[in-house]
Amino acid sequence: MQIVLALGTLMALAFVPLSFAVSSLATASQLVARRQAVVAVAHAIATHVRSDRAEPAEEILAAHLGESGIVALALVQLGQITASAGEQLATGDFGAPGSSRSEAGIIQASAQAGDVVVVARAPAADGSRAAPIVRLVALYVSLFAVTLLIFMYFTLTRVIVRPLEALVAATGRVARGARVLALPASGPRELADV
């Protein structure tokens, strides 16, 4: 049982950091996917604004507000905001077309289609989508660890503990005066030599 407890402790020491690594990786992957979604929506809106000059840009931006969680949209021409929807963006808030950035829980991206540049802002992922992946990995690792511990317990008991107990019982019989020594025939070679 002491060996199994030691193995259990070793597995916990190995799998707990693994869980944190998987959690960090899932969150980072989700942030990258979120950035790509915001860039894609910004590009789609820029294309829509460019192709439909008859519809007012404010209406197009307002219609797309909320897609992929977008909270702010701005149409930029010659470095100035000409139309916007949602939260207000300052002129200095956006980078070059095609750029994206993340800071303080916000993702901001700009996309260009011809002469039309659209800047989109959305909250970064809160980790709620990463949580199911982390839980699934934790469940898998836990099941693996428990299965391994049970396997190790039965294997160690059968291969080492029982042959040692039989050897101790045989030496106890000899110590009490038995003339015939019945040695156990099972177990690993090292125990048979002992």
Side-chain angles (χ1 to χ4, degrees):
M1 189 56 96
Q2 289 175 339
I3 294 173
V4 172
L5 287 175
L7 286 173
T9 303
L10 179 65
M11 279 194 275
L13 290 174
F15 290 140
V16 167
L18 176 66
S19 296
F20 286 116
V22 167
S23 175
S24 298
L25 181 62
T27 303
S29 297
Q30 182 184 5
L31 183 61
V32 168
R34 184 94 166 119
R35 266 192 210 140
Q36 291 172 343
V38 172
V39 169
V41 169
H43 187 268
I45 295 169
T47 303
H48 185 179
V49 169
R50 182 171 183 249
S51 66
D52 192 0
R53 298 281 183 176
E55 187 177 356
E58 288 86 6
E59 289 180 17
I60 294 173
L61 295 178
H64 290 287
L65 197 64
E67 288 181 23
S68 295
I70 292 178
V71 296
L73 287 167
L75 177 64
V76 180
Q77 293 176 328
L78 301 174
Q80 297 296 319
I81 296 175
T82 57
S84 66
E87 296 177 3
Q88 292 300 315
L89 294 171
T91 304
D93 277 352
F94 45 86
S99 67
S100 68
R101 65 179 185 180
S102 301
E103 57 184 47
I106 297 291
I107 296 173
Q108 187 165 302
S110 60
Q112 184 172 6
D115 61 338
V116 176
V117 177
V118 171
V119 178
R121 179 182 282 179
D126 59 0
S128 62
R129 289 185 182 174
I133 296 168
V134 173
R135 281 195 300 268
L136 182 65
V137 170
L139 177 66
Y140 171 75
V141 167
S142 299
L143 286 174
F144 175 76
V146 167
T147 304
L148 185 62
L149 282 175
I150 290 170
F151 174 77
M152 292 301 294
Y153 174 77
F154 285 114
T155 301
L156 290 173
T157 300
R158 187 168 193 270
V159 172
I160 296 174
V161 175
R162 286 187 185 152
L164 275 176
E165 286 175 346
L167 186 59
V168 168
T171 57
R173 285 192 301 273
V174 169
R176 288 189 301 273
R179 301 254 182 221
V180 178
L181 180 61
L183 293 174
S186 64
R189 183 185 53 81
E190 292 83 0
L191 285 178
D193 290 346
V194 169

